[in-house]
Amino acid sequence: MSAVGDGWRRLHPLSPIVRGGRASIAIVVVLVPTLVGGRSPRDSLIQFGVVAIIVALGFVSWLVTRWRVDSDDLRIETGLLKRQSLRFPLSQVQAIDIVRPGLARIFGLAELRLRTGGSSGSTGRLAYLSAREAEPLRDRLLALGRGAEHVGDEPAEPRPPSATLTTVPTGRLIASILISDAGVLAEAVVAALVVTAILAPAALTGLATGGAAWIFAAFAVVWRRFNQEYRLTVSDAPEGLHLAGGLVALTAETIRPGRVQAVRMVEPVLWQRLGWCRLEVDLAGRQRSKGEGRQARRPARALLPVGTHADAETLLDRLLPDRPRELSPPPRRARWKSPLRYRMLGWGRTDTCVRTQSGRLRRVTAWSPLEKAQSLRRVQGPLQRRLRLASVHIDTAGRSVHAVLRDRDEAEADRALEELTVLARRARRAS
């Protein structure tokens, strides 16, 4: 990081190359034939001119971008013709990530990503910093967000060691992906190609060409999950839960206490006999943000990609210690509306948290802290009216996980709506 003056700093000089990503690789691909092969001077001049323009634009973008920590805010200014000044209050930060894509790792760089709450889910990005400076800066920003005193660029208090809660074994992760929805789809595609190659080799080219998009999508989903969740480790740190993992792209994320909007446990049908489950958290501020890849736009974060129920309970004890343990089943007449879902329906509550369960083939359990409830809705469809049933929805600031008291008796739904409204108000005041 280079100092500009008055506390302002610039990003790493190699940031334009890493931010260009595929474009940087394409430039190398264009230049190598030009330097090695016998291209005409005119073609070489045009190619070098295009490359020079791209490099100049990247340099200008780096030159006009600067940042600094101002009291308890992070300020980022960028733009040449249209100047943009962003201010991110550190006390409102939902999470702070350190992301290192493959190209950034080659150059020893890292991106610092601050996620804030609100409907826009805005994101502050410092892309890119030196890798050795990213973690101390994250610790400093987290300390400022907690209101800690600081001296210079370091937190005042030494950082205690983190206690590891769970680590995903590689073998279990591979097996879970192979028997997941995306894995079964990818296996079906491979099986179809193999059978076609044996029985009708002439049709193989047409099948591969016509279904190229589907083939690529199936394998992209499998690769993305493996790349993101490889050796994911969850540690208990003073700032909250610390997540670190990845194969090519390394990600280190900190989830601060009290920022979780909802938690979801997913148990696919093929996982249930093995006693495996997947635990996800929904954080405000994980919506789509300009400049982020699809992997980073995912609203729900996998806290436990695959693990046992004991692993999930360990993390739930850290996130929601006052969660409900028992579930109340639905009335028997709900079987007529939801024959496949009936046996999995249930809900329970404490004074601070609601738990709901649903699903047809896969079991989905959701926990929602009442202090995070933005609204409560009673919904009753035509068939529910005939069966004297109703559902109660608990909406939060998250975008992916919502607790729903599905297909309850009308009187029970009315009573639950009234009680949860009072408890949610009380929980917000207490928090």
Side-chain angles (χ1 to χ4, degrees):
M1 295 182 294
S2 58
V4 180
D6 198 20
W8 290 101
R9 296 186 176 184
R10 287 198 178 98
L11 303 172
H12 196 279
L14 295 178
S15 298
I17 298 177
V18 180
R19 295 186 68 174
R22 295 184 181 90
S24 301
I25 298 175
I27 290 174
V28 174
V29 172
V30 170
L31 285 179
V32 169
T34 301
L35 297 175
V36 176
R39 296 290 184 92
S40 65
R42 178 183 175 86
D43 293 339
S44 300
L45 184 61
I46 294 175
Q47 291 179 353
F48 275 109
V50 172
V51 170
I53 293 175
I54 295 175
V55 172
L57 291 176
F59 175 76
V60 171
S61 175
W62 169 81
L63 191 62
V64 299
T65 301
R66 60 180 187 172
W67 65 274
R68 75 176 182 183
V69 179
D70 188 2
S71 183
D72 58 349
D73 296 341
L74 174 66
R75 294 184 59 185
I76 302 176
E77 291 188 353
T78 186
L80 180 61
L81 300 179
K82 183 181 179 181
R83 196 68 179 167
Q84 186 178 25
S85 180
L86 305 174
R87 184 185 293 267
F88 298 92
L90 298 176
S91 60
Q92 300 300 320
V93 168
Q94 299 287 332
I96 299 182
D97 311 346
I98 295 179
V99 183
R100 299 188 65 192
L103 195 58
R105 294 175 63 186
I106 294 175
F107 291 103
L109 304 182
E111 174 188 351
L112 204 67
R113 188 176 297 165
L114 286 77
R115 303 186 183 276
T116 60
S119 59
S120 62
S122 57
T123 302
R125 305 175 68 226
L126 296 178
Y128 287 82
L129 309 172
S130 172
R132 66 177 181 272
E133 295 172 317
E135 188 167 350
L137 179 59
R138 182 194 62 183
D139 293 343
R140 179 191 176 198
L141 297 180
L142 287 171
L144 291 173
R146 296 195 309 267
E149 297 290 336
H150 69 283
V151 179
D153 291 342
E154 300 295 332
E157 303 175 357
R159 184 180 180 183
S162 301
T164 300
L165 299 178
T166 60
T167 300
V168 179
T170 304
R172 182 187 296 173
L173 176 62
I174 295 174
S176 68
I177 293 176
L178 291 177
I179 61 176
S180 66
D181 299 341
V184 171
L185 177 60
E187 293 158 15
V189 170
V190 172
L193 292 175
V194 171
V195 171
T196 303
I198 296 174
L199 300 180
L204 180 61
T205 303
L207 178 63
T209 303
W214 293 98
I215 296 172
F216 177 79
F219 285 96
V221 172
V222 172
W223 165 250
R224 189 179 302 117
R225 280 195 57 181
F226 182 74
N227 179 44
Q228 183 180 12
E229 299 169 359
Y230 176 77
R231 297 190 63 82
L232 180 65
T233 300
V234 183
S235 304
D236 192 3
E239 305 87 9
L241 290 181
H242 181 68
L243 284 66
L247 181 61
V248 176
L250 300 181
T251 302
E253 178 177 354
T254 301
I255 301 176
R256 298 178 59 190
R259 301 302 186 181
V260 175
Q261 303 297 311
V263 182
R264 174 171 60 193
M265 179 190 294
V266 182
E267 300 171 81
V269 62
L270 296 178
W271 291 19
Q272 293 176 21
R273 290 187 176 274
L274 299 172
W276 292 350
C277 61
R278 177 182 176 89
L279 201 64
E280 300 173 343
V281 292
D282 199 1
L283 304 174
R286 290 193 65 87
Q287 295 87 352
R288 174 185 295 224
S289 181
K290 182 178 179 181
E292 290 189 21
R294 181 178 298 178
Q295 175 178 325
R297 294 196 303 259
R298 292 188 58 189
R301 178 66 160 98
L303 190 63
L304 180 66
V306 58
T308 63
H309 285 272
D311 296 332
E313 290 293 328
T314 299
L315 297 177
L316 287 170
D317 288 340
R318 178 67 172 81
L319 293 173
L320 302 169
D322 188 33
R323 65 187 183 279
R325 310 287 176 164
E326 302 294 333
L327 294 176
S328 173
R332 292 184 62 85
R333 61 181 180 275
R335 188 189 303 268
W336 295 101
K337 176 183 177 294
S338 305
L340 299 178
R341 181 183 282 163
Y342 173 77
R343 292 187 179 276
M344 296 188 185
L345 291 178
W347 85 283
R349 72 160 180 85
T350 62
D351 290 344
T352 60
C353 183
V354 172
R355 174 185 176 184
T356 63
Q357 184 174 286
S358 183
R360 293 182 176 87
L361 294 179
R362 64 174 190 169
R363 185 184 300 117
V364 180
T365 306
W367 292 266
S368 180
L370 286 173
E371 66 181 82
K372 302 301 180 182
Q374 300 290 313
S375 65
L376 293 97
R377 298 178 287 124
R378 180 186 185 275
V379 179
Q380 191 176 40
L383 184 56
Q384 286 180 315
R385 286 197 294 270
R386 293 185 64 86
L387 296 173
R388 304 188 311 280
L389 301 173
S391 299
V392 177
H393 295 248
I394 303 173
D395 301 320
T396 66
R399 297 292 298 274
S400 179
V401 182
H402 298 288
V404 181
L405 287 61
R406 197 177 299 277
D407 296 336
R408 314 306 300 185
D409 181 81
E410 285 181 331
E412 181 187 6
D414 292 337
R415 185 171 58 254
L417 180 63
E418 182 179 354
E419 292 176 353
L420 294 177
T421 301
V422 175
L423 291 174
R425 186 181 302 116
R426 188 180 303 166
R428 285 194 299 270
R429 290 174 179 172
S431 65

